[in-house]
Amino acid sequence: MSDFTLLLLQLLILLSLWLCSSSTSAQTYQNISLGTTITITTSWLSPSGDFAVGFLPLPANSSLFVLAIWFTKTSTKTIVWYANGDSPVSQGSKLQLTSDGQLLLTDHSGLPIWNPYPSGGASYAAMLDTGNLILTKADSTPTWQSFNFPTNTILPTQVLHRNATLRSHLYEDDLTGGKFELSLQSNGNLMMFPVALPTNLTYDAYWATNTQGSGTQLVFDLSGTLYLLLANATRINISTSSISTAISYQRATLDSDGVLRHYMHRGDNWTVISSVPSNMCESNFGGTGSGACGFNSYCQFDDQNLQRICSCPPSFSFLNPDKPYQGCKPDFETPICTTGGDQSGMFEFKEMENVDWPGSDYEHYNSFNETQCRENCINDCFCAVAFSRGLDCWKKKLPLANGRAATYLGGKALIKVSKFGTIPPPLSAPPQLISNTKKGKSVWLIVGLLSLALSLLILLGSIVNIARRPSSKHKSIQLGSCCRRSLELELSDEEEAVLAYWAYDCYRKGKVKTLVGEDTEAMANLDGVVRLLMIAIWCIQEEPSQRPTMRRVNQMLDGDIVDPPPNPSSSSEKFIQSPDCCKPLLGN
């Protein structure tokens, strides 16, 4: 390319920018005079009627309003700019162009909410056909314009300079500041960031043009091309359209999922022309934040609708089913590290092919097959998920972050979940005293609630299969009333202590069925039996400070999470010498 041709190209680009930047003064518009006011029910229109500025109700609360600019001729009023998304107002609020040239938004009580140019001095305002709201001096020089303070959308003829940003909505129906930001940095790099709510701190960028030192302006021209202009007068196209903006409405919006979408209005709908990033699920979010979806969830890309789908792994559910992007919670009681050691009796794995959470690794082993990966995770109370691929094994902790599902990942996620199912609901009826016999020996199962003063139900005991040495006598072990001030576990009878430790060993090894024996009624509600046993073991802790209060016991009985209990004995010797749960306590 000759020097003359390059110079001509640069002049043409600069001319097009000048035309865009001078469009404010070149357009025909109707002046909005000083002293003019709009209320909740009125608005200011652009000359063509394509745009209006006024009040719109919040999608989720029609009694609250935002001052906004919107497309008027689309099937729905599509907002392209707003002033008070974080501070909506109620009926009785108004926007006034004051006599001294201020554009003032006040609430129903007259309290100022928003004032973009408090120094005043404007001679009039205008709503332009570009969607730009301006304040101008008498010589038509703009003193303020909405195009210089964008929210989540950029329109044709709009130019963003260095340090300008777009900020997503929190949700599609919530206009407060969201979790994603697009910024043309002061160094010329155009980047997209996750935002650490409720602050404005940004994490590592998940998309960038890598134009440090050369990017100057983000331009949306009349042909429908969104591009980054570089210092050498060349450009990087972000999105292009085959149809001019003179033929159809267009906009580029940073949506609530962190994707910058170029929209064109066709018929009664907005159609996506392109998306940046093209696949949000594959974006690299670094080591901080939840990723494209919320914590403990994973992202799948919908090729047809060009959007993410956030899902929960097995035995997890959404914190808020109406807002799946908030993430997921485990539906079981997660491991705690009071006992350590083998947890295979309490937990198992659910498999997921081609799903990974690369932001949650805390250990990585090589030359580790899947069996070794499973065993290592099941014996590690910190391990929530193991990911096995070939001879590599990664262990992951909660909360899981940056989850994604894609065939290119390969490998297998092993989700560590409770064998006892989901967290059971509150007890609806008191447990019963069940009698059973085995081999001529009387076996008692105590699962009871002890009624205390003031008719408060406090847990009496849990579940132990007891068989005495050859004698006609039988004994039941009472695992205690759960009141710190009244519980005194008598350990002088060594046999009772041994039975308690044996019951704990059965629980620890996930062999509660050994306690239940052949009782079908107890087997049918094994989750409830395990829950009561856990509460009972807490109640017989030798160390009084570890025993729960009456209030805490009531909370656990009402359905609150019960943490896995520790060894009831403060002496490790007693536990070591206790019977093995694999050997039922039956006489000869």
Side-chain angles (χ1 to χ4, degrees):
M1 182 181 293
S2 67
D3 292 342
F4 175 76
T5 303
L6 180 59
L7 178 61
L8 181 60
L9 178 60
Q10 292 174 340
L11 289 173
L12 287 173
I13 293 175
L14 291 173
L15 177 61
S16 67
L17 285 176
W18 179 81
L19 289 173
C20 286
S21 63
S22 62
S23 61
T24 295
S25 57
Q27 289 188 74
T28 300
Y29 51 81
Q30 300 167 345
N31 294 351
I32 299 168
S33 305
L34 299 180
T36 305
T37 298
I38 57 175
T39 63
I40 296 295
T41 58
T42 59
S43 61
W44 294 332
L45 289 173
S46 67
S48 65
D50 287 342
F51 292 95
V53 59
F55 293 94
L56 286 181
L58 292 179
N61 187 344
S62 60
S63 65
L64 295 176
F65 300 83
V66 290
L67 175 65
I69 298 172
W70 65 88
F71 284 100
T72 60
K73 297 179 182 179
T74 55
S75 56
T76 58
K77 294 179 178 179
T78 304
I79 296 175
V80 298
W81 178 90
Y82 49 93
N84 60 318
D86 292 328
S87 305
V89 295
S90 58
Q91 285 278 359
S93 303
K94 63 183 180 180
L95 176 69
Q96 182 179 19
L97 182 58
T98 64
S99 59
D100 62 350
Q102 299 183 61
L103 191 61
L104 181 62
L105 169 64
T106 56
D107 67 9
H108 66 283
S109 64
L111 183 69
I113 299 297
W114 176 78
N115 186 348
Y117 197 65
S119 60
S123 298
Y124 58 89
M127 183 70 248
L128 307 185
D129 279 334
T130 58
N132 190 14
L133 175 65
I134 63 171
L135 292 176
T136 67
K137 296 181 180 179
D139 62 359
S140 297
T141 302
T143 59
W144 178 89
Q145 52 186 315
S146 60
F147 268 17
N148 286 347
F149 301 90
T151 50
N152 70 332
T153 296
I154 182 172
L155 295 170
T157 75
Q158 192 168 357
V159 177
L160 301 189
H161 302 274
R162 289 186 176 184
N163 296 316
T165 64
L166 298 181
R167 180 75 173 270
S168 69
H169 295 166
L170 185 58
Y171 302 108
E172 291 182 7
D173 60 353
D174 188 337
L175 304 189
T176 55
K179 295 175 60 177
F180 301 96
E181 178 180 291
L182 178 146
S183 173
L184 181 54
Q185 301 283 283
S186 59
N187 64 3
N189 197 6
L190 183 66
M191 309 176 78
M192 294 185 191
F193 303 92
V195 180
L197 298 178
T199 71
N200 291 319
L201 176 71
T202 55
Y203 294 140
D204 294 339
Y206 59 90
W207 180 89
T209 55
N210 298 317
T211 51
Q212 296 91 326
S214 59
T216 60
Q217 295 175 331
L218 181 63
V219 180
F220 199 167
D221 67 19
L222 289 170
S223 71
T225 300
L226 180 67
Y227 62 89
L228 179 65
L229 180 68
L230 304 182
N232 62 2
T234 61
R235 68 189 196 182
I236 297 174
N237 287 344
I238 308 300
S239 177
T240 58
S241 170
S242 60
I243 299 177
S244 168
T245 61
I247 298 175
S248 66
Y249 296 138
Q250 296 186 35
R251 62 185 171 93
T253 299
L254 183 63
D255 287 326
S256 59
D257 61 357
V259 177
L260 181 69
R261 291 185 175 89
H262 184 167
Y263 291 93
M264 177 184 294
H265 194 261
R266 293 175 176 171
D268 291 332
N269 300 306
W270 289 101
T271 301
V272 177
I273 297 175
S274 66
S275 303
V276 178
S278 58
N279 184 342
M280 188 67 165
C281 296
E282 294 184 359
S283 298
N284 183 8
F285 283 88
T288 311
S290 65
C293 293
F295 288 112
N296 295 330
S297 61
Y298 62 94
C299 183
Q300 291 175 288
F301 188 68
D302 182 348
D303 293 306
Q304 183 174 357
N305 296 310
L306 301 178
Q307 62 184 10
R308 65 178 178 176
I309 299 174
C310 295
S311 304
C312 297
S315 297
F316 285 70
S317 60
F318 288 118
L319 287 169
N320 184 345
D322 295 328
K323 292 182 169 60
Y325 311 128
Q326 289 183 357
C328 307
K329 58 180 176 61
D331 292 330
F332 56 92
E333 293 165 359
T334 56
I336 60 172
C337 295
T338 56
T339 58
D342 179 14
Q343 296 182 328
S344 58
M346 300 168 60
F347 295 93
E348 61 187 355
F349 289 111
K350 293 189 176 179
E351 300 180 359
M352 298 187 73
E353 300 283 349
N354 300 315
V355 177
D356 192 15
W357 288 267
S360 303
D361 303 334
Y362 70 95
E363 291 278 17
H364 178 203
Y365 306 113
N366 57 18
S367 300
F368 238 52
N369 60 33
E370 182 182 325
T371 300
Q372 292 172 305
C373 195
R374 287 173 176 268
E375 290 176 352
N376 193 277
C377 181
I378 205 70
N379 292 327
D380 184 350
C381 60
F382 295 111
C383 184
V385 172
F387 183 78
S388 178
R389 183 171 57 213
L391 291 178
D392 283 289
C393 172
W394 291 265
K395 293 195 299 185
K396 304 171 187 294
K397 61 186 182 302
L398 295 179
L400 302 169
N402 202 21
R404 59 190 67 185
T407 54
Y408 72 86
L409 290 171
K412 181 188 297 182
L414 305 168
I415 316 298
K416 186 174 172 181
V417 302
S418 172
K419 282 186 173 181
F420 306 125
T422 60
I423 298 172
L427 298 174
S428 57
Q432 299 174 352
L433 179 66
I434 304 168
S435 177
N436 192 10
T437 59
K438 186 175 182 181
K439 294 184 180 181
K441 304 294 187 290
S442 179
V443 182
W444 287 92
L445 177 65
I446 298 180
V447 183
L449 293 175
L450 181 64
S451 178
L452 296 182
L454 303 177
S455 298
L456 292 177
L457 294 179
I458 301 298
L459 185 63
L460 169 64
S462 189
I463 305 154
V464 185
N465 274 326
I466 300 174
R468 293 283 295 164
R469 296 181 177 86
S471 78
S472 59
K473 296 177 62 179
H474 62 78
K475 180 183 290 188
S476 68
I477 178 171
Q478 187 181 63
L479 297 183
S481 168
C482 290
C483 177
R484 223 178 242 165
R485 64 177 179 270
S486 62
L487 175 64
E488 290 296 337
L489 181 62
E490 179 56 61
L491 293 179
S492 59
D493 186 331
E494 186 176 342
E495 289 182 323
E496 290 190 357
V498 167
L499 290 172
Y501 304 141
W502 178 69
Y504 172 74
D505 191 53
C506 291
Y507 157 75
R508 186 178 68 92
K509 293 181 177 179
K511 300 181 181 297
V512 177
K513 291 180 182 179
T514 302
L515 295 173
V516 174
E518 298 176 358
D519 187 272
T520 57
E521 189 173 350
M523 287 293 293
N525 186 28
L526 191 60
D527 287 348
V529 170
V530 172
R531 183 180 182 83
L532 286 172
L533 178 59
M534 292 169 67
I535 298 172
I537 293 172
W538 275 113
C539 292
I540 62 167
Q541 295 294 309
E542 274 192 21
E543 178 57 47
S545 63
Q546 287 191 302
R547 301 172 197 154
T549 62
M550 293 176 65
R551 178 180 178 184
R552 176 61 185 146
V553 171
N554 278 324
Q555 290 172 342
M556 291 189 288
L557 291 174
D558 286 338
D560 209 356
I561 291 178
V562 183
D563 293 326
N567 176 4
S569 172
S570 58
S571 168
S572 59
E573 251 181 56
K574 291 182 181 178
F575 179 71
I576 293 171
Q577 295 171 0
S578 65
D580 190 334
C581 182
C582 297
K583 300 174 182 177
L585 297 181
L586 293 174
N588 296 323

